[in-house]
Every structure is written in structure tokens, then in C-alpha cells.
């Protein structure tokens, strides 16, 4: 039976094959290969770094690769902001049999976030890891960083469900090792990484099972194709089951409450630069995948009106917003506090997804971006504290605002953005979420969003109180963080303000992305045919 | 007044001593004027020339009596809200310039 | 009716196998304390998925999907769908990478903790956290609770 | 002033007034102590000049995230409030010339800037931003006292003020959805949006039962901080009400209650700065009544009264502050007879007292009577009666109690030195303005939002007011003579803050204990069930207690299974 469906899908695509074949012949310029190069460059740079084996070369290569990815992602984004999609066929093999990279506003946006964060964090990481990881491991660190980056970019770029799984595992495996590298400071990094591995693999395997169910019913792995074929068979139980598996598997990667248990440990014990990178990118990419499956593959009609899944994701999102915030309030370790706050913030994104409206979805995507830069700022600030004060416990950073005024000021900006104070990036996305809730007439939801922001006030205030209102400890290193850390920190901090004040770009890009996602399967196919 | 006080203070002392007499005179004058001129009454009771005098006297008396009751009802110790409440604590002396006048 | 049910059961034997293996694997991950055993459970879980994929690629009466050398495909021959097999090659590679990484981690954990039993490690970590709470907890009074 | 002649100054007028203060505050944060006082006095003076010369109109529209914002809406209503705000910033900072505390100085500038920014805000979002700005900046004037009590008070104050801002934001968002406009203009009560905004304003304006943050916070601030505090927050709320809810009938009744109830508290309160805080509440009542009536005369009266009130209330806070500065206490029980060595301060305090009491020739008389006349014009007799009562009652605490118990009455034996010269200068200037307004009300009337045809100095007005006041004093003198006056007594007076300082913690504590007990019992029951369910599996295969504790891997995979199950059920049922 499954073979039959696959045959149909092939026949349906016959016209497309011819068209793309000619397209592949003429598309030989570098620019036409950007969709794959954006992933391939960091991916190939990783073995290069290892093969050269030179510590001096590792950083420049890594930075150059990341920078290339950023440039490529920006160029791709500018190409698709109008609402078109770019379709790239790996090796000239046409979809659905060949692997397709499909770039639209949503994933180009995600790729820009990921590569931009990588570029910003790398100069910082150079100083940070020098203090936290032994020199002989630096080459490996950079190789793994590149692999994680390439994996995340690949997840975003690909239009093939199984290929997505492969990239997900590439980035996850690299991430496990990066987290384990924290063991030079705290041996709990090892068990954390091990747990993360067990859970992450289980989640990813759930995801593959889901993909398998979809393949069983449709005979295709291409997402655009899947979308079309799924829409044709409502009420197919295999697809239903596949849907549940994919959501749960991705929910784990997203750290959807209560599948978040891997996250606090991983963020707390990983090296500072890794925490900053992970917090800003890994869960965000997972949110993107969730978005892609919920909206593009299954389509809003299928997902929400047929299955009422709003009522599963929405309560979990609210639970995350409150439970995780409360836990964050009671932490004594700054890094762990931020980790729990991340879980709460992911709750906001899930909320925006579950509300299922253009505005709320735009809010979720903008929050994905804004939270990425906010958390990157904060984790980088913590990294600087760790470097100078030797730990991330509140006790370690008492009065550090006076010793490290610049770092701490950036931390305050990040904290304000976390709360959602107007003028910072965090405000823009919360404002959109509140608007989204009000559009639906859910004023109670708007109040809940505001109420949970008040919880953020409490834990951010605790940090500020510790850093500013207490006497500095005598035994800490009384110096400001080095410039190599300060500059990236401030770039991030200023960008939270910049994107808080001039939100046109983020809101515009996210709006286009939300539109691309919400427009569902049918329209995507039409634009895909012409978008090459 | 054995103290050596500034001239202005002596003047104020004089005022304090003769205040009640001046008050009585002023009050009588105001009451008389109230009956003498047209009060342009708009309110129902205003046309009575001593209305405002009565109002002032009754109002103040009411305030004082009710305030006594209020204190009996709501008054508590200074440290009712704890020793560290503003009400119970002293103003930090290092922010002030507490100084007596040199004789 | 009886026959139909029987057919249903037997006809989906591959799925029953998959479900059983998957549950077994997951159960081991949850219930076994030894880290190596957990990894074995994870492997069983992943093998279940591999079987699911491979069995779904099978077309009834199909033969191995190998093209004749001359490239002339005889339309009378039914081929099994090769795509799931190809996918599973990748999945196996991923599985091996995961397993080897996990084993490497276990080696390092054993070096640091002198044990790979979950219970013991849990207790050791509880002790560390308790020490941290004593050392850092009272910054905010009872906030640590 | 043509742009060619003074390019620098005309560039200045292209800047929102509030933005003068923010770089000023930054500058104050880095300047050495010696240079800060001149900056603190000079900058508001510059701002006053700018406010005075600004043309009317909507000067700085701004589009942000698709919202139409308006940073500078200059009209007669906003100009008079901005003008008095800049003036009082000059005077208050002059009063604080001796101050070397950077935190207070920066906070004072930011606070004044935010209040002025809010007055000029033409839309609800800009208003909200500055609204929260005043809350956050002003709390530092309380914390600057640097005692534990002040810290807790400041926290309570901040919570209330930020709550007001949150309500305003929520209201603004709803209002936007309702009307599609964020324009801050006259609103009609009726929808949740307008009620939320009204409540937000009401908190800042210290409506009855929402008032207690004021009496809690103002006596807790520093000597100089209280002067600054007394001017801005509540009058900003009065401005906002006058702009948004003029003519809203419920305000008349709220205002009437506001004028009456605080006088009793003020009468028995021992802390002189808290007496003034209650009196401030009572004076706000007059303004709220004026807004509620909403006629041109009433609104003129409100604006004029706010203007005059800021001055004489600041003067009173300054004189009590000077006493506190010299003696270390503001408690009535510990003061008395200070005129002997602080005669100038005493005279200035008396000028403030007669101004607030509404003695003819002083500022309170020419402004308060406008509100009273507006009430009688509208034939609101019960309200008018309440206002007459309150006019007399204000005499007893602010008019008599403050000067009498501090500077006269029994001799406390204290012989403090006269207040420092800069304080005397600040008080003298403020007093001069109080008298100038009283003598030449036309100067103030010319600034009011609407054309004024009002003559306070008619014979019957003066005579009526003098009767009211003199016989009030007679009653007071008799009460003192016969021992009927409540007198001075140390203590704490319960007010609505008792609800959240005592009752709420007690209730919450009890509730928490209850919840804890129920939760404990529930958890035990669930735990027992779970243990029973797991016993079977554990007995066969699990090592001892493997599933009982919360080791992430195990519980995580369990959660995975549970959520997957829920998902499957939901998906299948749907």
C-alpha cells in the first residue's frame, strides 16, 4: 500500500523534475549554491580544524566559517523576505526522492539568528575557554562548535524530514561533548551530558518514529510533499500517531515543560561560551522545527482545529511560564536561574504557537530572536563573572556591580529585556503576544503573560540586588572583564536595545515568516514551483 | 525671656503672647462684617451672615472630637509594624547636620 | 471475524515486534541503574526503529532493488522500496556515534565518580548539592528550599 | 526668538523637555560633587525657559512598531503643569544644595524629567513609559535614606507604583483594541479599558483606599527627597485625570471623600511629615472634585490649585525638613517652641500654613475658592458642604498644627540653629511665589487652560473665608484651653496599609499552612498509590527503589511516555 502512494507522489512530481533539471544546469554561480554552502562550509571546516591540529589556526578558521555562514544566511534572508522560497536540490536530484533544501523567510530568519550568535560568541569564547578548558582540547572545542553550528543550520535549511533528523543528531552529538567539556570545572558536567544524551537520543528517536509513520502513509519525506499528501487524508490514524511522536520528540528538544529536565544541568555545568551558544540557538532551532511541522507539514487546519492540540500545548506553555519562573526565583546559582528562566521563556514561544494567530505566531518568532540575544547577553555576562569571581553562585558575585561595572551594566540590560521592559527587545515580543491574546479576546491570557513577567522582575531583581546592593567580596579578582569578552557582551546588549527600539526589521521578518508558516501546505507548493 | 534671642524671635514671642486677644478682635470684626455686607448667597444656608463662622467653629470641633475617637480606635504603638519600620526608627544622623544655636 | 482478527495480528507481526522492542528498550533506559545497561536499552530502542523502517519498505513479492547491469528494467519484476534501507544506513551510523560517545562519557564518569551505578552517582551529587546549599544557600535566607 | 540668532537654543526646543533631564542625569552621575548642585538647579531652569517658549501643538510625532506616538503635545493644560514641575525642580534642588548624595541627585533629575515627559505625552504608550519612569526614579529618593524601614517602605511604594503602570499599560492595550487609537485624550468610563486606565490614574492620585502608599512613603524619604516627591507623582495623576476624565461624575464623589477623611488622620498623627502627607491627600480631593465637575471654571480651579498647592506644600515640607535637618526628628511630641532660635524658618512655615489654609492675600485662597465656586455654580450642595468642611479642617492640621506644635506651644527645650542659608533661600523664593499669587492672582490666571473671569477678592468672599478661618482658630484655641484637643502622642495610626502589612501576611500565612497541609496529605496519598503501582515492577526487576526517586533520566522518560500517551489520546479522540 505504501509503495502505491509513493508511486503517486512520483508521478505528481514528474513535471517538477524536468523544470529543476534545466534549472540545475544553469545554476552554477556561487550565489545559487548558498543554501547548501551555508551549512557545508562550517561542516567541512570542522574536520579541517582537526586535521590541521594547530591551536593557532583553529579559531580563525572557525570564525571565518561562522562569518561566512552569517553572510550567506543574510543574503538568503534578503532574497526571501519578499515571501518567495528558494528550492535547492542536492546533487541535482529532484524532490521528493532527492533531498531538497528549501529556504523561506522562517528558516532564513532562524539561520541568521544562529550564525549571528555564533559569530558574536566566538571572540568571547576565545577568552572564556582559555580559562575553562585545557589548551590541548581547544582544537576539538572549535571542531565541535563548528559541527554544532553546521547541524543547527542544516536543521533549519533542509526541506527533507529525515535529513532534518540527521542534522539534528549531528548538532546534538556535538552539543553533548561540548557540555561534557564543562567537566574541567565541575564533574557533574559529565553526568549531565550523559543524561542529556540519553534524553536527547530518546527524543530524536521518537522523532524518527514519527517520520516513519508519515512515510508509511505518504511515501515521501519531502516536507512540502508531505504537507500536500497529509492534507489529502484527514483522519488517518497512522498520521495521527506520527504527529504525536514528532511533537513529543521535538517537545523534548525544545525543553517543553515538563520535558525540560535535561536543560538546567546542561546550561549550568557547560563551559560559559557553550551555555551562551546553546541557550541562544539550540532550543530556538528546535522551536523552529516544531513550528515547521505544526504549521507547514501538518498545517494549521489539521493540527489545531482537527486535533485541538492547543489544549495540550497551551497548558504546558502556561505551566512553563509559571512553574519554571518560580523555580528560577529560588535558585542560588545565577546560571541555573537563567536556565530555568529559559524554560519559562520557551513557554512564551509555545504560547505564541498555541494561540494560532498571525500576531501571536509573529510574537513567538520575534521572541525566538529576542530571547536568543537576551539570553546570549546574560550567559556571556555570567561567563565573565565566572572568569573573574570564580563561580556563578550569587554568593560569588556579591557586589560585583562595583568591581565590573561594564559587564554588570550589560547584565542589567539583559535582565530588563528578560522582564520585558519597554525599550528592550523583550518588550516587543511580549507586546505582540499580549496583542495576539487580545485579538482572540483572551484577556485573561494577556494578564497571565503580564503576571509571569512580574515573576521575572523578582528573579532579575535578585540578581541586581546581589550585584549592586551588597558589599563586594574581598577575595575576588577586582578587575573588569577583558575587552575580548566585553565587546561581544556589549554588542549583544546593545542589540537587545536596538531591536527593542527599532523593531520594524524583526517584526517584519517574523511577520513574513509567520505568514509563510500559516499559509499552510497548498500555497507553499505553488510558490515552491515558481520560486526557483 | 532671659535668653539672648535674635530680634525676630523676640517679635514672634510678642505675637505669641498677644495672639488670643488679636484673635478675639479679628473674629468679632469678621462676624460683624458678615452681617453688615451682602453675602451673595448661592447656597441655601449662606444667606445667614454668621454661616461661615458657625461652619468654621463646628467643623473644627467635629474634627477634634472625631480625631480623638479615631486615635482610641486606630492608635497603636510606634513599633506596631516592627522595630525596623520607618515609624519606629530614628532618622540616620549622618545625613543631617544637627546643630544647636551658639549662644 | 475470528479469521480476520488473526490475519490482523499476524499481518502486523513486524509492528508487534517493533512495539515490543521499543517498549523493552525504553523500560531498560528507565529501570536499569547501570549506565552501560541504559545504553544497551537505548540501542534496543533504536534497533526497533530500524526494524520498523526496514519492514515498511518491503513490497509484497518484491525482490532486492538492484538494477540489472544493462539498465533495462523489466516492468514485470517488483522491487522492494530501497529508500528506507538507505535511510537506516544513516540511522545506524548515527546510532553508532551515539553509542560510542555514550561509552566514552561512561569511561570519564567512572574516572571521576568511581562508579557507573546511577544510585551511587545520584547520592554523590546530592552530597555535592547539599554542600553547595550549605555554602551558598543562606545568601537569601531560606531561599534554597 | 528666531532660529538664526540662537541656533543652539532653538535646537534645544526641538528636543522633548524630558530629554533635557536624562543626559543631565547622566552628567550628574559623573560630575564631581562640587559641580552637581549648580547643574541640578540650572538644568530645570533651562527646561522652564524651554517650556515657556515652546509653541503649542503636537511637536514630535513618532512612529514606532506601527504605533503613532506623540512625545510633545503642548497645549495650555500641559504647559502649566510642565511649568510648575520645572519650577519646583529648581526650588527643590536649590533646597538640596548641600546634598552630596549622587543617587538622590540623579534620581531627582530623572524623576522630574519623567514627570515632565509624562505631562507632554500625547499618547498612552509614551505616557506609560514616563509613568513607570517616575515610579522607578522616585523610589530611590526613599531608599536614599538607607535604613531598613525605608527599604521596605520603598519596596511597598514601588510595587504600588509599578502596579499602577501595569494597569495603565493593560488599559492602553485594551483601549487600542477598542478604538484603534492610542491618543491620550478625553475618555468615557464604561469599558474595561477605560476603567483600567482610570484605576491606574486613581492609584497615583491616591484615591480613598488606594491612598496609603502616599502616607507610607513620603515620611520615609530623605529630608530633601520628600520635597521633590510631594510635587510630582500625585500632580501628574491629577493632570492625567484632567486630561482623560474631565467631567466624569464619579470623580466628584471620590474627591469629596478624599477631602474629608484624611483630615481626621492628620489631626492625630505624630510625625509632622505624615501629617503633611495626609494634608496632601486632602488637597488632592479639591482638585479631583474640580475635574469631576469638569466645567471650564472647575478645570481652571484644578490647574490653579495644583500650581499653588505644589508651591505651598513644598514650602511646608521644606520647613519641616529644615527642622528635621537641624534636630533629627519631625515628631510633634519632641518638638515645640523652636521659634526662639529658628525664627525665619518659623515665619516661612507660617506663610506656607496660611497659604494652604486659604487666608486671603495668599495663594490657597485664590485657587481653592475657584473649585468651591464651581461646585456651588453646579448646585452640588453636599459636595460644596464637604469642601467647606474640608477648608476649615485643613486649617487645623496644616494651618495650625504644623507651625504651632513645632515652633510655638510648649517649649521642648531644643535650641537648634537656624536652617542653612540655601534652604532659607529656597523657602524664601517659594514663599514669595505663594504671596505673589495671592496678591496678584491674574498672573496665575493668565496661564490657566481656559479664559478666566473670576475675581476672588470680592467682599463677601473675603469675609466668609475670614469668618471660617478665625472661628476655626477660636474652636482650636478653646479646645486647647479646656484640654479637649487630642494633643500630641507618640504612636502608629492604622490605615488601609494595615490590610497589606498585617492582615494579608496573616491570611496568606494561614492559607499557606493550609495548602501545605493539603498538599502534604495529597502528595503522601499520591506517593502511596504510586509506590503501590510500582511495587510490582520493582519487586521483579528494578534494583532497590530505582523508580522512587527523581533521577532525571528515569522521570524524564516517564514524562515522555505520559505526554505521548496524552497526545495520542487527544489526537485519536479529536
Amino acid at each position: 500500500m505504501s509503495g502505491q502512494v509513493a508511486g503517486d507522489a512520483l508521478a505528481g512530481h514528474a513535471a517538477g523534475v524536468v523544470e529543476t533539471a534545466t534549472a540545475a544546469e544553469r545554476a552554477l554561480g556561487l550565489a545559487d549554491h548558498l543554501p547548501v554552502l551555508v551549512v557545508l562550509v562550517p561542516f567541512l571546516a570542522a574536520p579541517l580544524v582537526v586535521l590541521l591540529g594547530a591551536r593557532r589556526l583553529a579559531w580563525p578558521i572557525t570564525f571565518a566559517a561562522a562569518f561566512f555562514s552569517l553572510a550567506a544566511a543574510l543574503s538568503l534572508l534578503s532574497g526571501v523576505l519578499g515571501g518567495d522560497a528558494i528550492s535547492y536540490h542536492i546533487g541535482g536530484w529532484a524532490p521528493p526522492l532527492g533531498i531538497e533544501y528549501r529556504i523561506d523567510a522562517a528558516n532564513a530568519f532562524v539561520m541568521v539568528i544562529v550564525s549571528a550568535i555564533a559569530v558574536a560568541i566566538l571572540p568571547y569564547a576565545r577568552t572564556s575557554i582559555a580559562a575553562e578548558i585545557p589548551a590541548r582540547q581547544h582544537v576539538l572545542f572549535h571542531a565541535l562548535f563548528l559541527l554544532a553550528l553546521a547541524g543547527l543550520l542544516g536543521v533549519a535549511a533542509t526541506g527533507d524530514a529525515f535529513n532534518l533528523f540527521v542534522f539534528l543528531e549531528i548538532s546534538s552529538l556535538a552539543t553533548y561533548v561540548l557540555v561534557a567539556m564543562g567537566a574541567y570545572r565541575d564533574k557533574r558536567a559529565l553526568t549531565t551530558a550523559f543524561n542529556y544524551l540519553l534524553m536527547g537520543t530518546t527524543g530524536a528517536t521518537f522523532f524518527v518514529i514519527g517520520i516513519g509513520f508519515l512515510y508509511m502513509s505518504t511515501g515521501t519525506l519531502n516536507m512540502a510533499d508531505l504537507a500536500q499528501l497529509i492534507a489529502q487524508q484527514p483522519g488517518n490514524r497512522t498520521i495521527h500517531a506520527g504527529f504525536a511522536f514528532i511533537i513529543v520528540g521535538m517537545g523534548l528538544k525544545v525543553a517543553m515543560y515538563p520535558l525540560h529536565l535535561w536543560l538546567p544541568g546542561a546550561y549550568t555545568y557547560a563551559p560559559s561560551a557553550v551555555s551562551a551558544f546553546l541557550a541562544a540557538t539550540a532550543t530556538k532551532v528546535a522551536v523552529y522545527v516544531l513550528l515547521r511541522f505544526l504549521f507547514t507539514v501538518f498545517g494549521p487546519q489539521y493540527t489545531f482545529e482537527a486535533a485541538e492540540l492547543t489544549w495540550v500545548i497551551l497548558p504546558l506553555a502556561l505551566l512553563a511560564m509559571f512553574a519554571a519562573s518560580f523555580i528560577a526565583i529560588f535558585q542560588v546559582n545565577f546560571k541555573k536561574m537563567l536556565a530555568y528562566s529559559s524554560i519559562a521563556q520557551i513557554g512564551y514561544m509555545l504560547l505564541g504557537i498555541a494561540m494560532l494567530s498571525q500576531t501571536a505566531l509573529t510574537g513567538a518568532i520575534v521572541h525566538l530572536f529576542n530571547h536568543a540575544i537576551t539570553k546570549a547577553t546574560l550567559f556571556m555576562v555570567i561567563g565573565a563573572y565566572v572568569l573573574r569571581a570564580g563561580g556563578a553562585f550569587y554568593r560569588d558575585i556579591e557586589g560585583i556591580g562595583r568591581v565590573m561595572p561594564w559587564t554588570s551594566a550589560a547584565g542589567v540590560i539583559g535582565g530588563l529585556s528578560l522582564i520585558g521592559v519597554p525599550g528592550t527587545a523583550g518588550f516587543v515580543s511580549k507586546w505582540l503576544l499580549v496583542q495576539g491574546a487580545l485579538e482572540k479576546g483572551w484577556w485573561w491570557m494577556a494578564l497571565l503573560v503580564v503576571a509571569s513577567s512580574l515573576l521575572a522582575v523578582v528573579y532579575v531583581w535578585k540578581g541586581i540586588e546581589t550585584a549592586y546592593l551588597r558589599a563586594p567580596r574581598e577575595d575576588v579578582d577586582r578587575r573588569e572583564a577583558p575587552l575580548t569578552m566585553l565587546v561581544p557582551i556589549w554588542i549583544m546588549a546593545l542589540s537587545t536595545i536596538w531591536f527593542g527600539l527599532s523593531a520594524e526589521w524583526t517584526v517584519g521578518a517574523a511577520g513574513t515568516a509567520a505568514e509563510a508558516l500559516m499559509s499552510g501546505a497548498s500555497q507553499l507548493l505553488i510558490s515552491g514551483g515558481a520560486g526557483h | 525671656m532671659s535668653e539672648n534671642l535674635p530680634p525676630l524671635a523676640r517679635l514672634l514671642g510678642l505675637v505669641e503672647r498677644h495672639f488670643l486677644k488679636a484673635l478675639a478682635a479679628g473674629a468679632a470684626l469678621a462676624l460683624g462684617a458678615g452681617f453688615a455686607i451682602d453675602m451673595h448667597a448661592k447656597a441655601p444656608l449662606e444667606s445667614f451672615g454668621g454661616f461661615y463662622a458657625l461652619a468654621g467653629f463646628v467643623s473644627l470641633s467635629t474634627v477634634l472630637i472625631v480625631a480623638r475617637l479615631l486615635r482610641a480606635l486606630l492608635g497603636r504603638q510606634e513599633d506596631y509594624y516592627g522595630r525596623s519600620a520607618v515609624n519606629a526608627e530614628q532618622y540616620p544622623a549622618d545625613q543631617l547636620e544637627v546643630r544647636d544655636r551658639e549662644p | 471475524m475470528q479469521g480476520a482478527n488473526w490475519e490482523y495480528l499476524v499481518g502486523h507481526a513486524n509492528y508487534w515486534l517493533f512495539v515490543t522492542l521499543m517498549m523493552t528498550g525504553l523500560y531498560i533506559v528507565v529501570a536499569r541503574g547501570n549506565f552501560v545497561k541504559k545504553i544497551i536499552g537505548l540501542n534496543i530502542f533504536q534497533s526497533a526503529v530500524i526494524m520498523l523502517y526496514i519492514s515498511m519498505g518491503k513490497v509484497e513479492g518484491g525482490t532486492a532493488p538492484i538494477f540489472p547491469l544493462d539498465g533495462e528494467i523489466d516492468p514485470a519484476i517488483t522491487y522492494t522500496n530501497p529508500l528506507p534501507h538507505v535511510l537506516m544506513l544513516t540511522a545506524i551510523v548515527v546510532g553508532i556515534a551515539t553509542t560510542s560517545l555514550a561509552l566514552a562519557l561512561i569511561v570519564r564518569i567512572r574516572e571521576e565518580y568511581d562508579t557507573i551505578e546511577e544510585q551511587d552517582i545520584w547520592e554523590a551529587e546530592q552530597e555535592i548539592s547539599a554542600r553547595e546549599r550549605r555554602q551558598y544557600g543562606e545568601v537569601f535566607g531560606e531561599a534554597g528550599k | 526668538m528666531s532660529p538664526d540668532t540662537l541656533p543652539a537654543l532653538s535646537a534645544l526646543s526641538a528636543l522633548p523637555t524630558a530629554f533635557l533631564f536624562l543626559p543631565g542625569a547622566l552628567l550628574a552621575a559623573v560630575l564631581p560633587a562640587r559641580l552637581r548642585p549648580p547643574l541640578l538647579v540650572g538644568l530645570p531652569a533651562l527646561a522652564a525657559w524651554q517650556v515657556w517658549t515652546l509653541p503649542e501643538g503636537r511637536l514630535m510625532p513618532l512612529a514606532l512598531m506601527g504605533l503613532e506616538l506623540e512625545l510633545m503635545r503642548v497645549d495650555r493644560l500641559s504647559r502649566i503643569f510642565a511649568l510648575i514641575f520645572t519650577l519646583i525642580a529648581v526650588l527643590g534642588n536649590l533646597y538640596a544644595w548641600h546634598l552630596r548624595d549622587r543617587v538622590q541627585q540623579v534620581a531627582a533629575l530623572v524623576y522630574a524629567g519623567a514627570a515632565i515627559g509624562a505631562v507632554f505625552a500625547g499618547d498612552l504608550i509614551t505616557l506609560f513609559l514616563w509613568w513607570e519612569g517616575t515610579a522607578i526614579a522616585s523610589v530611590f529618593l526613599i531608599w536614599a535614606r538607607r535604613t531598613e524601614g525605608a527599604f521596605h517602605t520603598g519596596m511597598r511604594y514601588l510595587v504600588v507604583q509599578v502596579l499602577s503602570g501595569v494597569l495603565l499599560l493593560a488599559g492602553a492595550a485594551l483601549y487600542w483594541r477598542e478604538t484603534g487609537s492610542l491618543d491620550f485624550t478625553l475618555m468615557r468610563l464604561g469599558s474595561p479599558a477605560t476603567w483600567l486606565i482610570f484605576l491606574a490614574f486613581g492609584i497615583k492620585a491616591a484615591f480613598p483606599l488606594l491612598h496609603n502608599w502616599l502616607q507610607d512613603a513620603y515620611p520615609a524619604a530623605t529630608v530633601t527627597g520628600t520635597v521633590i516627591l510631594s510635587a510630582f507623582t500625585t500632580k501628574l495623576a491629577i493632570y492625567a485625570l484632567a486630561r482623560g476624565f474631565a467631567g466624569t461624575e464619579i470623580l466628584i464623589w471620590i474627591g469629596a471623600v478624599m477631602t474629608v477623611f484624611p483630615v481626621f488622620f492628620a489631626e492625630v498623627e505624630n510625625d509632622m511629615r505624615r501629617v503633611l502627607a495626609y494634608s496632601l491627600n486632602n488637597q488632592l480631593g479639591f482638585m479631583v472634585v474640580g475635574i469631576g465637575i469638569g466645567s471650564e471654571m472647575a478645570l481652571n480651579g484644578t490647574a490653579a490649585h495644583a500650581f499653588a498647592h505644589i508651591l505651598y506644600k513644598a514650602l511646608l515640607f521644606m520647613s519641616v525638613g529644615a527642622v528635621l535637618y537641624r534636630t533629627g526628628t519631625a515628631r510633634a511630641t519632641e518638638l515645640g517652641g523652636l521659634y526662639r532660635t529658628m525664627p525665619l524658618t518659623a515665619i516661612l512655615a507660617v506663610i506656607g500654613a496660611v497659604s494652604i489654609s486659604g487666608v486671603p492675600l495668599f495663594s490657597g485662597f485664590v485657587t481653592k475658592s475657584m473649585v468651591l465656586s464651581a461646585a456651588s455654580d453646579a448646585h452640588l450642595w453636599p459636595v460644596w458642604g464637604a469642601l467647606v468642611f474640608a477648608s476649615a479642617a485643613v486649617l487645623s492640621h496644616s494651618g495650625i498644627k504644623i507651625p504651632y506644635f513645632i515652633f510655638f506651644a510648649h517649649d521642648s527645650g531644643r535650641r537648634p540653629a537656624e536652617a542653612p542659608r540655601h534652604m532659607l533661600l529656597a523657602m524664601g523664593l517659594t514663599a514669595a511665589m505663594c504671596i505673589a499669587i495671592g496678591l496678584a492672582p491674574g498672573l496665575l490666571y493668565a496661564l490657566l487652560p481656559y479664559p478666566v473671569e473670576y475675581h476672588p477678592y470680592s467682599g463677601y468672599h473675603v469675609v466668609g473665608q475670614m469668618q471660617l478661618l478665625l472661628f476655626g482658630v477660636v474652636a482650636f484655641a478653646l479646645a486647647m484651653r479646656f484640654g479637649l484637643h487630642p494633643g500630641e502622642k507618640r504612636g502608629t495610626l492604622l490605615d488601609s496599609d494595615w490590610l497589606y502589612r498585617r492582615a494579608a501576611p496573616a491570611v496568606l500565612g494561614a492559607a499557606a499552612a493550609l495548602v501545605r497541609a493539603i498538599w502534604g496529605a495529597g502528595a503522601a496519598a499520591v506517593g502511596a498509590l504510586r509506590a503501590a503501582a510500582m511495587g510490582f515492577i520493582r519487586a521483579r526487576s528494578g534494583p532497590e527503589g530505582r523508580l522512587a526517586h527523581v533521577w532525571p533520566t528515569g522521570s524524564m522518560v516517564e514524562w515522555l511516555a505520559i505526554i505521548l500517551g496524552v497526545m495520542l489520546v487527544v489526537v485519536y479522540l479529536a
Side-chain angles (χ1 to χ4, degrees), chain D residues 495-520:
Chain D
D495 197 343
S496 59
D497 58 345
W498 181 82
L499 290 174
Y500 54 82
R501 290 173 79 174
R502 270 299 174 91
V507 171
L508 283 180
L514 190 68
V515 168
R516 215 175 297 134
I518 294 173
W519 181 266

Side-chain angles (χ1 to χ4, degrees), chain A residues 338-377:
Chain A
L338 288 181
Y340 277 107
S341 136
S342 279
I343 296 165
Q345 302 288 325
I346 287 161
Y348 287 112
M349 294 173 218
L350 293 174
L351 186 72
I353 295 172
M355 279 197 285
L356 189 80
S357 70
Q358 171 92 31
T359 315
L361 191 58
T362 308
I365 297 173
V366 175
H367 199 57
L368 197 137
F369 177 81
N370 290 342
H371 181 243
I373 53 180
T374 304
K375 266 294 150 57
T377 313

Side-chain angles (χ1 to χ4, degrees), chain D residues 376-453:
Chain D
S376 69
D377 282 352
H379 299 275
L380 292 161
W381 302 124
V383 176
W384 178 82
L387 296 187
V388 169
F389 168 78
S391 305
V394 75
L395 175 76
S396 87
H397 54 264
S398 291
I400 306 175
K401 183 171 175 173
I402 294 284
Y404 183 67
F405 284 135
I406 295 180
F407 295 103
F408 300 96
H410 72 275
D411 185 2
S412 62
R414 290 178 190 264
R415 293 290 179 269
E418 186 54 274
R421 246 176 254 142
H422 63 272
M423 288 191 179
L424 288 175
L425 180 62
M427 288 190 273
L429 288 173
T430 317
M433 290 178 75
C434 289
I435 297 172
I437 292 171
L439 292 178
L443 293 177
L444 175 59
Y445 289 172
L447 296 174
L448 295 181
Y450 300 102
V452 181
E453 288 189 28

Side-chain angles (χ1 to χ4, degrees), chain D residues 197-529:
Chain D
I197 297 174
F198 185 73
L199 195 60
F201 292 173
I203 289 176
K204 270 213 178 183
F207 281 0
L209 296 183
L210 305 175
H211 67 283
N212 206 258
W213 60 267
L214 199 161
Q215 288 81 11
D216 190 15
Y218 286 10
T222 60
V223 169
T224 52
T226 310
V227 176
I228 302 280
L229 274 176
S230 75
F232 294 115
T233 298
T234 49
K235 259 61 77 188
L236 171 58
I238 292 296
Y239 163 78
L241 284 170
R243 170 75 70 193
F245 293 100
T248 305
E249 196 193 338
I250 189 174
L251 283 174
I252 301 176
W253 307 102
I254 292 176
V257 176
M258 267 171 96
T259 56
V260 172
F261 89 91
V263 300
F264 305 109
F265 284 88
E267 196 56 48
V268 282
E269 180 56 50
N270 191 34
D271 184 326
M272 284 305 190
R273 296 203 295 171
R274 188 165 284 122
V275 172
L276 286 175
Y278 276 114
S279 146
L280 175 56
N281 216 184
N282 147 282
Q283 295 291 305
L284 292 173
F286 284 93
M287 303 174 212
V288 172
V289 168
I291 297 167
I293 295 171
S295 64
E296 288 196 356
M297 167 132 94
L299 289 175
N300 273 341
T302 295
H305 199 52
F307 194 100
H309 166 79
I310 287 179
L311 290 170
Y312 58 65
K313 185 58 71 178
L315 178 55
L316 285 166
F317 267 118
M318 283 178 186
S319 56
V320 174
V323 169
L324 173 60
Y325 187 68
R326 278 298 188 228
T327 64
T329 181
R331 291 186 179 94
T333 40
E334 296 174 23
L335 295 170
L338 298 190
Y339 79 88
R340 291 178 180 82
T341 54
M342 299 181 83
L344 280 171
T345 312
I347 289 170
L348 292 165
V350 169
I351 292 175
V354 294
S355 295
I356 195 175
S357 310
V359 174
L361 302 183
F362 293 91
S363 59
F365 175 70
V366 303
T367 57
K368 196 193 294 176
S369 50
M370 289 177 89
V371 178
L372 274 158
S373 298
S376 69
D377 282 352
H379 299 275
L380 292 161
W381 302 124
V383 176
W384 178 82
L387 296 187
V388 169
F389 168 78
S391 305
V394 75
L395 175 76
S396 87
H397 54 264
S398 291
I400 306 175
K401 183 171 175 173
I402 294 284
Y404 183 67
F405 284 135
I406 295 180
F407 295 103
F408 300 96
H410 72 275
D411 185 2
S412 62
R414 290 178 190 264
R415 293 290 179 269
E418 186 54 274
R421 246 176 254 142
H422 63 272
M423 288 191 179
L424 288 175
L425 180 62
M427 288 190 273
L429 288 173
T430 317
M433 290 178 75
C434 289
I435 297 172
I437 292 171
L439 292 178
L443 293 177
L444 175 59
Y445 289 172
L447 296 174
L448 295 181
Y450 300 102
V452 181
E453 288 189 28
Y454 184 73
H455 303 288
Y457 288 112
S458 55
Y460 61 94
H461 248 133
V462 173
V463 169
Q465 183 70 5
M466 285 315 289
Q467 276 191 2
L468 189 75
L469 295 176
L470 287 170
F471 276 86
V473 181
V474 168
F476 183 87
L478 289 175
M480 285 304 285
R481 181 67 182 257
F482 296 107
L484 292 171
H485 189 272
E488 307 150 87
K489 193 160 176 269
R490 300 183 68 127
T492 297
L493 216 51
L494 301 189
D495 197 343
S496 59
D497 58 345
W498 181 82
L499 290 174
Y500 54 82
R501 290 173 79 174
R502 270 299 174 91
V507 171
L508 283 180
L514 190 68
V515 168
R516 215 175 297 134
I518 294 173
W519 181 266
V526 171
L529 272 177

Side-chain angles (χ1 to χ4, degrees), chain A residues 4 31 33 66 76 78 81 105 131 149 167-168 186 191 217 227 232 234 242 249 281 408 436-437 453 459 481 515:
Chain A
Q4 184 62 41
H33 290 294
L76 285 172
S78 69
L81 262 186
L149 174 64
F167 275 120
L168 196 65
D186 191 323
T191 46
S217 318
Q232 287 169 6
T281 58
S408 306
S453 298
Y459 57 70
E515 216 170 300

Side-chain angles (χ1 to χ4, degrees), chain A residues 69-94:
Chain A
S69 292
L70 174 61
L74 279 172
S75 126
L76 285 172
L77 180 62
S78 69
V80 295
L81 262 186
D84 300 333
I86 301 172
S87 169
Y88 180 89
H89 304 162
I90 300 283
W93 290 87

